[in-house]
Every structure is written in C-alpha cells, then in structure tokens.
Amino acid sequence: MKITVLYGTESGNSELVAEDLGAKLRETHDDVEIFDLQDFDPADLTAEHFYVVVCSTHGEGDLPNTAIDFAEKFDQLLPDLTGMRYAIFGLGDSFYDTYSQGSEHLDRRFTAQGAERVGEYGRHDASSWDMPSDIALEWLPGAMEAAGLALAG
C-alpha cells in the first residue's frame, strides 16, 4: 500500500517530524511520499493510500500557515473519504487550552467525510523536554500496527 505523509507547519517542526517518519517508513515500504499540505490537493485523497498526518497548532488553536489553503479547498470540495484510513500526530503546547487543536481541525474534517482514523492519536507537548521526532517515532509503530502495515524494527 502506498503511504503518504502529510504535514502542516508554521515554524518547520512538523516538517522535521514528517521527514523523520518518512525515513522510518521507507525502511520497510518502497512507496512513501511526503507532502506539505500547501502542496497537496484534497481532491487527491484516496482510499488507495494510507496517510500519516502531522500538524502543528498556531495562534489560538488554529491550523498552521501551510495547512490553511488545504483546509479551505477541502471545505469547498468536501471529498468523499469513505475507505480512506489515516493516523494523526499533533504538535502543540499543553500550557494553552488549545493544545494540539491544529491537528484536530484536520481530524474532524477527515472523519466527517468518512475517513477512518486508526491507532492512538499521537501528540507532542512543546512544554515537555522531549523532542517531537522522538515522540513521533515512538508513536509510529502502534499506528502502523493498527493500520495492519509492517514497520521495520
């Protein structure tokens, strides 16, 4: 199965996480693509791919800059995502009430259109001393197992 890693970022942290997840996935899978959401058309979402979505939170729990156009196009298109499966990893800061809300904006859109989120909802808390990619790489095996997809040990 093709795996597509999508990320939305404001300061580049989600991009770094997406690149690290993509590198790990490529150890096992030949067909892994990584896209910034600003370069991905929601009309291209398909059940033929498994999606790993990484998204930060900006401002008052908003989507990051590179995810805004994607969300607006998505809302205009409202694609039928029946059969599409995805895992999601959000970045945020638990100091704020809007912790990890950026990713939740995408999660709500996907599930409303029929997509199925698999595995635990991954999250990184910027208030911790943990590196975002370290937490994401710990989260990834569970998400892939829930998707029924292998991952190199």
Side-chain angles (χ1 to χ4, degrees):
M1 172 171 266
K2 297 178 181 180
I3 300 173
T4 301
V5 180
L6 300 173
Y7 66 90
T9 191
E10 187 71 30
S11 63
N13 287 333
S14 292
E15 180 178 5
L16 293 173
V17 170
E19 292 290 339
D20 287 342
L21 292 176
K24 182 65 179 173
L25 290 165
R26 286 183 177 123
E27 292 177 5
T28 310
H29 301 275
D30 293 331
D31 203 353
V32 177
E33 299 176 306
I34 302 170
F35 292 98
D36 188 330
L37 284 168
Q38 68 184 352
D39 300 323
F40 193 85
D41 189 331
D44 292 336
L45 292 168
T46 174
E48 308 305 315
H49 290 230
F50 179 72
Y51 296 91
V52 177
V53 181
V54 180
C55 189
S56 63
T57 302
H58 183 67
E60 301 293 324
D62 301 319
L63 286 166
N65 191 41
T66 70
I68 293 172
D69 283 348
F70 174 86
E72 289 173 356
K73 289 178 186 173
F74 187 96
D75 292 346
Q76 292 172 356
L77 181 64
L78 294 176
D80 178 4
L81 301 182
T82 303
M84 186 188 106
R85 298 182 316 140
Y86 68 99
I88 195 160
F89 188 87
L91 287 82
D93 188 331
S94 66
F95 179 78
Y96 300 99
D97 292 337
T98 57
Y99 171 56
S100 193
Q101 290 292 306
S103 63
E104 292 182 21
H105 288 290
L106 297 175
D107 184 51
R108 284 190 293 273
R109 281 176 169 86
F110 286 2
T111 58
Q113 293 309 116
E116 176 188 3
R117 177 167 40 90
V118 299
E120 295 288 322
Y121 200 116
R123 296 184 197 271
H124 173 261
D125 181 359
S127 287
S128 74
W129 290 97
D130 299 318
M131 298 299 294
S133 284
D134 291 346
I135 300 301
L137 288 168
E138 289 175 14
W139 161 83
L140 186 63
M144 296 305 287
E145 182 179 340
L149 297 170
L151 188 63

